[in-house]
Amino acid sequence: MAALPQQPTILSFEDARHIVERHASEVHPGETETVQLLASAGRVLAEPVVADREFPPFRRAMRDGYAVRASDLTHLPVSLDVIAEIKAGAVPEDMPVEVHSGQAAAIMTGAPTPAGADAVVMVEYTSQSESRVTLTRGVASGDNVVPVGSEARAGDVLLRSGTRIDHSAIAVASSVGKDSLKVFHRPQVAILATGDEVVEINKPPGPHQIRNSNSYSLAAQVQEAGGEARILGIARDEAQHLQGSIQQGLERDLLLLAGGVSMGKYDLVEQVLAEFGAQFFFTGVQIQPGRPIVFGRARGKYFFGLPGNPVSTMVTFELFARPMLEALAGITPRTLVFLHARLKSDIKTKTGLKRFLPGLLSGEFEDAEVELASWHGSGDVASTARANCYIVVPQDRERIGSGEWVAVMKK
Ligand code: AMP
Ligand code: MG
């Protein structure tokens, strides 16, 4: 039997996460392709998107009302001559040459503000009769007018390469006239389940066997994070069989293994990876669920050995594998932040591990509340499926009282 990799390296959650982030900041995404604008939603931008002109390109009125000279409105109410009506889309011929003192132009939201006017009074504070308007509220110079180029100057980078394209990025691309975008290819992620007790989901399991849920939950997480999942099947708890599958897995951009990383006699994953010359960055993290998680690199490819308990697999993917996958997908690395909610009922745990416990987030608007989902440990997929978040319990807390604010990670 080959020697075990090296001294086990058990890290705190934060240190382990930072190690992954450091490696993630050094990887490079692969090829690029150009796709139609709408098909780019959810993909990762591989080019900067640049303003093709000033934003806004003209002095845009922000409100329906009257374009005026603010200095005309020092004594209220005041009555002014209405010399024009300017609609959104108005061309220079529709516009007065200039709004002089004592004059106003009726104007609509999105229309160009005429020369001479330096503010817009909202229609709510006006009443027009024939060609005179009475204004009951003053304005400061610049009120309700967006200056040319104040949002962006021509040539400014509006979206950086590495941005995950969401609806607001689509709005930006549309507004500069891009109907297609260059995006990175999705990284290919090999997924390898291990375990002699694990059978494929379309086979009837024996009474001592369980179905392979990890490959599928992981594949769904991989796809959601921007990768392409390649399920490699189930490796037996036998060195040679594992070897063949791991070799295949290392041909992809990233390898995720599930199971076989604990201390059991047949937990062979680390040993077999060591035979591939793997470098191990950590072999355990002080968390629950997911303590035995392994992170390393072999043959130039990163791998994660995720613990096989289904909830551990899901949580450790989110905490550690996701940032690496996102980096391979071309996404600019970002830090992990938790949200906060008020605890609805006490939590009692043991100290020593940072815990990510399935929780139920409820409440409304600014009053987020959370409580533990009833669960029976890291194998309890059913409870986790009912949960909508994980409650983050610091490792030095034995009890957190109802009413306290706790950190939560959205599922
Ligand atoms: P291991 O990490 O290999 O010690 O497995 C821990 C627990 O997770 C055991 O109860 C396994 O039966 C279970 N398990 C391992 N792999 C899978 C899988 N692919 N799908 C569902 N459960 C699994
Ligand atoms: Mg196993």
Side-chain angles (χ1 to χ4, degrees), residues 190 232 243-252 255 276:
L232 294 184
Q243 217 163 40
S245 303
I246 287 179
Q247 181 161 358
Q248 262 183 295
L250 290 173
E251 283 163 19
R252 304 294 181 181
L255 169 60
F276 282 91

Side-chain angles (χ1 to χ4, degrees), residues 194-197 237 259-260 266-267:
T194 72
D196 287 346
E197 77 282 30
D237 289 323
Y266 297 99
D267 290 324

Side-chain angles (χ1 to χ4, degrees), residues 192-195 197-199 209-217 234 237 258-264 266-267 292 306-310 312-313 378-379 381:
L192 180 59
T194 72
E197 77 282 30
V198 184
V199 295
Q209 292 178 316
I210 51 151
R211 295 194 179 93
N212 174 18
S213 63
N214 286 341
S215 292
Y216 297 93
S217 60
I234 304 160
D237 289 323
V261 289
S262 303
M263 297 300 286
Y266 297 99
D267 290 324
L306 309 177
N309 262 315
S312 309
T313 311
S378 330
V381 209

Side-chain angles (χ1 to χ4, degrees), residues 186-324:
R186 296 187 176 95
Q188 306 247 321
V189 182
I191 296 175
L192 180 59
T194 72
D196 287 346
E197 77 282 30
V198 184
V199 295
E200 255 327 321
I201 57 175
N202 52 7
K203 302 245 166 64
H208 54 290
Q209 292 178 316
I210 51 151
R211 295 194 179 93
N212 174 18
S213 63
N214 286 341
S215 292
Y216 297 93
S217 60
L218 275 177
Q221 286 177 292
V222 162
Q223 277 165 11
E224 201 272 318
E228 230 164 72
R230 294 279 175 265
I231 294 180
L232 294 184
I234 304 160
R236 293 195 300 276
D237 289 323
E238 189 253 303
Q240 260 194 345
H241 194 238
L242 254 177
Q243 217 163 40
S245 303
I246 287 179
Q247 181 161 358
Q248 262 183 295
L250 290 173
E251 283 163 19
R252 304 294 181 181
D253 300 311
L254 178 66
L255 169 60
L256 303 180
L257 299 113
V261 289
S262 303
M263 297 300 286
K265 186 171 170 201
Y266 297 99
D267 290 324
L268 303 174
V269 164
E270 282 167 77
Q271 181 197 315
V272 173
L273 282 163
E275 287 165 13
F276 282 91
Q279 214 185 336
F280 292 86
F281 305 120
F282 54 78
T283 56
V285 180
Q286 287 155 3
I287 55 169
Q288 194 248 341
R291 190 171 184 277
I293 180 178
V294 172
F295 171 46
R297 188 170 49 199
R299 299 196 168 170
K301 303 293 173 65
Y302 286 101
F303 61 79
F304 290 89
L306 309 177
N309 262 315
V311 184
S312 309
T313 311
M314 295 176 204
V315 171
T316 50
F317 174 90
E318 285 306 317
L319 296 176
F320 302 107
R322 178 186 276 272
M324 178 55 76

Side-chain angles (χ1 to χ4, degrees), residues 21-85:
E21 286 174 359
R22 213 176 59 229
H23 284 276
S25 70
E26 284 163 13
V27 303
H28 298 289
E31 309 280 287
T32 62
E33 61 181 316
T34 298
V35 298
Q36 287 300 303
L37 181 59
L38 255 191
S40 76
R43 302 293 299 272
V44 184
L45 193 60
E47 60 176 345
V49 170
V50 172
D52 62 332
R53 57 178 184 159
E54 309 286 285
F55 278 77
F58 52 83
R59 290 201 305 148
R60 187 176 67 220
M62 281 170 69
R63 303 276 184 233
D64 298 318
Y66 291 84
V68 297
R69 291 169 168 263
S71 57
D72 278 355
L73 277 66
T74 42
H75 300 288
L76 296 168
V78 66
S79 177
L80 303 174
D81 259 341
V82 181
I83 58 165
E85 184 188 272

